[in-house]
Structures are given as C-alpha cells and as structure tokens.
Amino acid sequence: TGISLKWDANEEADSYYIYRRTSPSKGWSRIATVTKNSHTDTKVTAGTTYYYTIKAVKGKITSSYKSEGWSYRFLKIPSHKSLSNGYGSVVFSWNKVAGATGYIVYRKVNGADTWTNLGKTKSTSYTDKDVVNKSNYQYTVRAYYGSSLSSFTASKVIKYLAAPKLKVSNTTSSVKLEWEKVSGASSY
C-alpha cells in the first residue's frame, strides 16, 4: 500500500519530520510529523522513485538531516496470471509491474517452512524444471528495481504430475493412443 520508512530512534526526540521529493534536483517537502520511528507513505504512484529524509525534533529544535536523502521506487505487487504443469516442469506467470527492472521468484516444496530463492528474471514467467512427480510446489514472486522491492504476490500451490508417456499406433480403422500410468493422477 506504500513505502514503509523505519529509522533508529533518537532518545532525545519527541517527534520526527519526514520530507520527500521525486527528484534529487527538487526541494524537500514535509509530508508528515510522527512521534514513532516509522511511517508508511501511502500517497505514492507505482513506478515512481521517491527520496526521503528525516529530522529529529525536540520542542523547537530540529536535528540536521541527510541532504541527499534515501531513494526508493514504489513497485506494485505482481498479480498472479497462471500456474500450470508443463512437460517436465511447472510454469508460473504473473502480470508486468510498472517501473520494475525484473522479478525474483521463490518456491517451497511440500509445505516446507522456508522459501528458496530461484533467482531473478526479466520475464513475467518462470519455468521450474527441478520438479518431481506428486510433489506440491508453492510459488511467489516480487518485483525489483535496484534495491527497491515490491511486496510478495499471494502464493499459489500446484501438485506436479508428470506427463504421460504416449504410444500411438494405427489400427484398421482408427488411431490407437496408449500411455503409461502416471502415479498420483486420478484421470486422463
């Protein structure tokens, strides 16, 4: 829903001024005054890079600030497009995110506790060829631009079923299809 800012608390401060700009050449605009050492800027546009700086405040006294600020690009969460069994693979795809350089894909196998980073891609799909029949695979993805990251997309789960090995033959009046049974399949 926005860009989350967190910083080390200053024990002397009773509040903080948060400043923002959209270009290093523009002046700073104060967007909030907060009493905690965190703030979420929800007035952001997807694909836009924002620069932030913060001043600690005690009464009428304000601290110095980082003049160049910290930059972060707001990236929307990728939306799920499809998840399907491929031939010897699982294919996961999502919609393009404005302003993203690429995407990082993560996977869990059979309900594992931790996610495995499968790597980065500039594409909006990922083909996972490291799959085993009857295993459950859970996928999520996040967009990135430099060090800016979107939140994770809602994860999706699929059971991988191996493709049947097909045998085709002619009969006197038709074509006969036969295949080996696939463990875990309920029908064909």
Side-chain angles (χ1 to χ4, degrees):
T1 59
I3 296 176
S4 178
L5 307 170
K6 294 182 182 178
W7 56 91
D8 292 336
N10 180 320
E11 292 179 11
E12 297 296 317
D14 50 31
S15 63
Y16 302 91
Y17 292 158
I18 301 170
Y19 297 86
R20 182 181 84 178
R21 62 185 178 190
T22 54
S23 166
S25 61
K26 289 188 176 181
W28 292 105
S29 296
R30 189 162 86 190
I31 61 166
T33 301
V34 298
T35 56
K36 296 181 181 178
N37 60 324
S38 64
H39 176 72
T40 300
D41 183 7
T42 58
K43 294 180 178 165
V44 292
T45 303
T48 302
T49 300
Y50 295 92
Y51 300 80
Y52 297 92
T53 196
I54 299 165
K55 289 183 180 180
V57 181
K58 176 75 172 175
K60 294 183 179 184
I61 301 169
T62 60
S63 70
S64 61
Y65 63 99
K66 184 174 180 179
S67 61
E68 68 273 17
W70 295 271
S71 66
Y72 208 82
R73 180 171 285 191
F74 178 65
L75 300 169
K76 286 196 170 191
I77 300 169
S79 60
H80 170 76
K81 195 170 182 183
S82 67
L83 180 62
S84 60
N85 283 310
Y87 188 77
S89 64
V90 170
V91 181
F92 176 45
S93 66
W94 53 91
N95 292 308
K96 186 175 181 175
V97 172
T101 302
Y103 307 89
I104 307 169
V105 182
Y106 301 84
R107 175 184 86 172
K108 283 185 185 180
V109 180
N110 293 323
D113 291 333
T114 58
W115 291 97
T116 299
N117 181 334
L118 296 177
K120 292 181 177 180
T121 180
K122 295 193 184 298
S123 173
T124 55
S125 68
Y126 185 85
T127 301
D128 185 2
K129 295 181 180 178
D130 185 19
V131 292
V132 176
N133 191 50
K134 293 196 316 183
S135 291
N136 290 313
Y137 294 92
Q138 185 175 6
Y139 296 90
T140 188
V141 64
R142 68 193 317 187
Y144 73 89
Y145 173 84
S147 62
S148 301
L149 299 167
S150 74
S151 292
F152 293 95
T153 188
S155 64
K156 299 290 182 180
V157 179
I158 191 169
K159 178 179 281 232
Y160 175 68
L161 291 177
K165 292 182 181 172
L166 185 63
K167 179 181 174 187
V168 181
S169 58
N170 287 320
T171 65
T172 53
S173 61
S174 63
V175 174
K176 183 178 181 182
L177 303 175
E178 297 176 284
W179 54 87
E180 294 177 8
K181 183 178 179 179
V182 175
S183 178
S186 58
S187 60
Y188 303 90

